[in-house]
């Protein structure tokens, strides 16, 4: 399950190398059209929908969920619903791969928060698109995800984003998560 799948390249890769089938959600019809074209003939299903809404999937039906810098645009309340839905659809022992925007050591994120403050803590509004993005400190990330997931790995990485004609250095959290196991009832 690729949440915020964009052009579908991650799901296509997964199907070609590991998975039997895939589902991708994205709020952009243009992105979904590109994903459908890219994955033509593969066992992939794409749907235009917000990842903040309930997923039309059965409980315990997904082995792996991907969130590659998609849920950063969700509000605090939406993120809570999003994580609850991932927890609901993941099979026992299922995994979630997450890449999130990192505040720690990211001067560009700190400048964006200062220049274009968003409606919630550690958010900013991208002037060109009106999209609000959230950045996480290490502790914020742990606090947000550890209620529902065991954090198997959490690493800070660096990459570059292009806005207009300029490249900006950005930091990301890359996390491998596993759905928490339910305690055994005695």
């Amino acid at each position: 399950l690729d949440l915020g799948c964009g052009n579908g390249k991650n799901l296509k890769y997964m199907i070609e190398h590991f998975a039997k089938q895939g589902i991708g959600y994205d709020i952009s019809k243009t992105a979904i059209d590109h994903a459908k074209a890219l994955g033509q003939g593969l066992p992939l299903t794409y749907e235009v929908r917000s990842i903040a809404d309930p997923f039309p999937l059965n409980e315990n039906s997904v082995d792996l969920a991907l969130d590659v810098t998609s849920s950063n645009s969700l509000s605090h309340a939406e993120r809570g619903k999003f994580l609850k839905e991932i927890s609901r659809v993941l099979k026992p022992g299922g995994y979630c791969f997450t890449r999130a925007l990192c505040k720690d050591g990211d001067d560009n994120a700190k400048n964006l928060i200062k220049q274009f403050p968003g409606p919630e803590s550690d958010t900013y509004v991208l002037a060109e698109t009106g999209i609000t993005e959230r950045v996480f400190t290490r502790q914020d990330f742990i606090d947000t995800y550890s209620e529902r997931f065991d954090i198997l790995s959490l690493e800070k990485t660096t990459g570059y984003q292009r806005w207009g004609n300029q490249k900006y250095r950005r930091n990301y959290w890359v996390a491998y998560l596993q759905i928490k196991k339910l305690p055994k009832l005695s």
Side-chain angles (χ1 to χ4, degrees):
L1 175 62
D2 192 350
L3 301 158
C5 64
N7 67 10
K9 67 181 178 181
N10 291 331
L11 265 185
K12 181 178 186 288
Y13 179 86
M14 296 296 288
I15 293 301
E16 291 174 339
H17 294 91
F18 307 107
K20 294 179 183 175
Q21 61 184 1
I23 302 165
Y25 299 148
D26 201 285
I27 199 163
S28 167
K29 182 182 180 325
T30 301
I32 291 296
D33 289 344
H34 285 281
K36 286 178 178 178
L38 183 67
Q40 193 169 11
L42 295 174
L44 297 167
T45 304
Y46 290 104
E47 189 175 330
V48 177
R49 68 180 303 103
S50 170
I51 61 173
D53 294 335
F55 310 149
L57 299 170
N58 292 331
E59 224 172 275
N60 303 321
S61 62
V62 173
D63 293 304
L64 173 67
L66 302 175
D67 171 14
V68 183
T69 326
S70 296
S71 68
N72 293 294
S73 296
L74 299 178
S75 69
H76 179 75
E78 289 171 329
R79 187 172 296 100
K81 293 176 190 175
F82 171 78
L83 293 173
K84 184 177 179 182
E85 276 299 283
I86 292 173
S87 299
R88 183 185 69 78
V89 302
L90 278 177
K91 292 178 181 177
Y95 296 93
C96 180
F97 170 83
T98 300
R99 184 177 89 162
L101 294 170
C102 172
K103 183 179 179 184
D104 299 353
D106 191 323
D107 292 335
N108 288 312
K110 292 173 186 173
N111 286 334
L112 286 166
I113 291 168
K114 185 177 178 181
Q115 291 178 7
F116 309 103
E120 297 178 348
S121 177
D122 288 335
T123 65
Y124 53 85
V125 179
L126 294 170
E128 297 155 5
T129 62
I131 293 173
T132 299
E133 289 188 328
R134 166 84 155 84
V135 293
F136 293 87
T137 65
R138 179 180 187 84
Q139 192 59 53
D140 288 341
F141 187 94
I142 291 168
D143 292 346
T144 299
Y145 287 87
S146 64
E147 180 183 338
R148 297 184 180 277
F149 299 95
D150 291 322
I151 300 174
L152 305 177
S153 172
L154 179 60
E155 179 183 338
K156 185 168 81 169
T157 64
T158 300
Y160 290 86
Q161 283 184 319
R162 181 176 290 282
W163 289 319
N165 292 327
Q166 191 160 354
K167 285 172 79 171
Y168 294 89
R169 181 177 180 262
R170 296 304 308 262
N171 289 338
Y172 302 94
W173 293 117
V174 174
Y176 294 94
L177 312 168
Q178 187 173 30
I179 191 75
K180 283 197 182 251
K181 295 177 174 69
L182 297 174
K184 289 187 178 184
L185 300 175
S186 18

